Amino acid sequence: MNARPPKKPRDLVDGVLLIDKPVGLSSNDALIKVKRIVNAKKAGHTGTLDPFATGLLPLCFGEATKFSQDLLEADKTYLATVHLGITTTTGDTEGEVLETRDVDVSTEQVEAALARFRGPILQVPPMYSALKRDGKALYEYAREGVTLEREARPVTIHELELVAIAAPFLSIRVKCSKGTYVRVLGEDIGAALGCGAHLSALRRVQVGALTTANMVTLEELQAHENPLSLLAPVDALLSTFPRIDLTPELEKRFLNGQRLALGKEAVTVPPELGRVRVYADGRLLGTAILQEYAILAPERLIAARQA
């Protein structure tokens, strides 16, 4: 009996890849496919997209996974199609139809309904979600026909714009805080219009400062002769933070975890306190907290790779 050939060892890959997730694929399945294509040892995504949704799915590799939490916390922007007059069990096209109603709405009525959901709102999470109760995902209860009470949670709809209306469909653009369910927003808009609704399409187009500009499909990634060349550097996740460049001496102390007093050093310090990205000789060292009196406290450090 022939022995199986040994598996190819995984590579130490650092960076960020912006994938255009196709419809019908879970975020985790997309991650597994991409991790295999680039042969990465360590990878993670930055928050899931529903299988029926498409669009921007940032995937982090190696040292970039240290900063993936920042994208979980970031605002997201979506383009959504709301199908008025039909409600479903899941709030999207994957569920069973619950009710069908006639649709007779004007643009003015739609604009008035949208205005009700701009700014801070309370939103009840859907049963078909990955939120857990007693260690079990809500969607598992839902599939068993069990509906649990869910407490409304505060979220913020920063922008809500009507892109087009062609009844029974509304095209909307939504910029929202973390934890927002656009499916629920679509249902709530339908309820406000008195006809009910579900989402027939959902596409994510921005996560924090990351946009679709350098996004690639799985097919493009698979066909590329050098998939690693498509990765953005680790600091693509940190572009919104002020930058501090250290001298070689300060670099050593910083990487040893020491707090640095920058007030008397030959270092330009940004005026605002808070989180910063730290470099030396053009190389990202990690993130830190800039405190009062120009004290720089290391936060998350990048491991140096051997050349």
Side-chain angles (χ1 to χ4, degrees):
M1 186 174 180
N2 295 330
R4 291 183 180 180
K7 288 185 178 180
K8 181 182 178 182
R10 297 284 188 175
D11 298 324
L12 293 175
V13 175
D14 299 319
V16 182
L17 193 59
L18 307 182
I19 290 294
D20 185 352
K21 190 191 81 64
V23 68
L25 192 69
S26 74
S27 297
N28 195 55
D29 286 343
L31 174 65
I32 292 171
K33 287 178 180 289
V34 173
K35 186 178 179 182
R36 186 181 302 120
I37 292 171
V38 301
N39 197 47
K41 186 173 183 179
K42 184 178 182 181
H45 57 65
T46 56
T48 60
L49 268 178
D50 288 340
F52 99 103
T54 67
L56 184 58
L57 181 66
L59 301 179
C60 298
F61 299 91
E63 292 297 287
T65 60
K66 293 180 178 179
F67 308 102
S68 59
Q69 183 64 32
D70 299 308
L71 290 191
L72 288 172
E73 303 287 330
D75 293 337
K76 317 291 193 304
T77 302
Y78 300 88
L79 298 176
T81 301
V82 182
H83 189 163
L84 300 175
I86 299 176
T87 57
T88 70
T89 53
T90 58
D92 57 31
T93 56
E94 297 196 323
E96 298 176 2
V97 173
L98 290 172
E99 187 177 15
T100 300
R101 297 184 189 177
D102 293 333
V103 177
D104 183 16
V105 297
S106 65
T107 300
E108 292 73 22
Q109 288 173 314
V110 171
E111 290 285 11
L114 295 184
R116 295 171 53 178
F117 298 100
R118 296 188 182 108
I121 64 171
L122 291 175
Q123 190 179 73
V124 178
M127 278 300 301
Y128 280 90
S129 68
L131 294 177
K132 292 190 175 181
R133 181 78 60 85
D134 298 327
K136 185 175 177 179
L138 291 184
Y139 68 79
E140 295 182 82
Y141 290 104
R143 288 170 180 171
E144 295 170 357
V146 177
T147 300
L148 302 176
E149 288 292 323
R150 286 100 63 209
E151 186 175 344
R153 305 189 307 176
V155 297
T156 302
I157 308 299
H158 299 291
E159 299 173 16
L160 180 55
E161 172 191 359
L162 178 63
V163 177
I165 179 171
F169 298 102
L170 307 178
S171 296
I172 60 175
R173 178 182 175 276
V174 184
K175 182 178 180 181
C176 53
S177 67
K178 68 166 186 173
T180 302
Y181 288 92
V182 184
R183 280 182 291 138
V184 174
L185 179 63
E187 290 179 309
D188 290 344
I189 291 170
L193 290 169
C195 58
H198 71 281
L199 288 194
S200 59
L202 180 64
R203 182 166 180 79
R204 189 160 67 187
V205 296
Q206 188 163 355
V207 178
L210 300 177
T211 69
T212 59
N214 297 308
M215 191 169 63
V216 296
T217 65
L218 291 175
E219 290 76 17
E220 289 169 337
L221 182 68
Q222 183 75 61
H224 202 281
E225 61 182 16
N226 182 16
L228 293 180
S229 67
L230 300 175
L231 268 70
V234 174
D235 60 358
L237 300 175
L238 308 172
S239 62
T240 59
F241 299 128
R243 172 171 175 158
I244 290 179
D245 287 86
L246 300 180
T247 63
E249 175 58 33
L250 292 175
E251 173 189 1
K252 294 177 184 177
R253 292 167 55 193
F254 180 81
L255 291 178
N256 284 330
Q258 295 181 29
R259 297 168 75 237
L260 306 177
L262 301 181
K264 296 182 180 180
E265 303 287 350
V267 172
T268 301
V269 179
E272 63 270 30
L273 302 181
R275 207 145 173 245
V276 296
R277 49 190 169 131
V278 183
Y279 295 77
D281 194 27
R283 182 175 67 86
L284 177 69
L285 305 181
T287 58
I289 305 299
L290 183 62
Q291 303 171 340
E292 288 186 318
Y293 309 109
I295 301 298
L296 188 69
E299 186 191 31
R300 301 175 198 157
L301 304 182
I302 294 290
R305 299 294 195 206
Q306 297 297 320

